[in-house]
Amino acid sequence: ESLAFGRPAPGENSGAAVDGGDGTGLADDDVICSCLNVSKGDIKKAVIEQEASTIALVKKCTKAGTGCGGCCTPVGDVPKVLAATLKTLGKAV
């Protein structure tokens, strides 16, 4: 078990992915943007309810990535959550 968050360490979980398959390894209540305390669920909600279909719109709706910007880099979690959420909505990524 991982010391952080009381969840299994990466590779130890033989069941379903905690992240819903988006590749982040994070649950909806986990923080993605630590600068502004924005959770994965906040980002998904913005994509679904406010039609934030680009990184710029996610930033506008949630403020995620407007601090240091690390969560919005091409390898950051915001693009992963955005792409996975758009895919579940049947929208182009």
Side-chain angles (χ1 to χ4, degrees), residues 63-75:
K63 304 300 182 217
T66 61
C68 76
C71 59
C72 288
T73 63
V75 295

Side-chain angles (χ1 to χ4, degrees), residues 33 50 55 89:
C33 176
Q50 298 177 313
I55 297 292
L89 295 173

Side-chain angles (χ1 to χ4, degrees), residues 1-89:
E1 181 176 295
S2 171
L3 295 177
F5 310 113
R7 295 199 177 112
E12 288 183 8
N13 189 3
S14 60
V18 173
D19 63 12
D22 61 24
T24 62
L26 301 171
D28 283 355
D29 60 344
D30 288 333
V31 173
I32 284 185
C33 176
S34 57
C35 295
L36 295 159
N37 198 35
V38 180
S39 71
K40 176 181 166 181
D42 295 332
I43 293 167
K44 288 173 65 175
K45 185 176 179 179
V47 175
I48 294 166
E49 295 180 7
Q50 298 177 313
E51 299 184 12
S53 58
T54 65
I55 297 292
L57 289 173
V58 169
K59 286 181 173 185
K60 182 178 179 181
C61 293
T62 66
K63 304 300 182 217
T66 61
C68 76
C71 59
C72 288
T73 63
V75 295
D77 288 330
V78 171
K80 292 176 188 175
V81 173
L82 174 61
T85 306
L86 288 172
K87 186 176 178 181
T88 62
L89 295 173

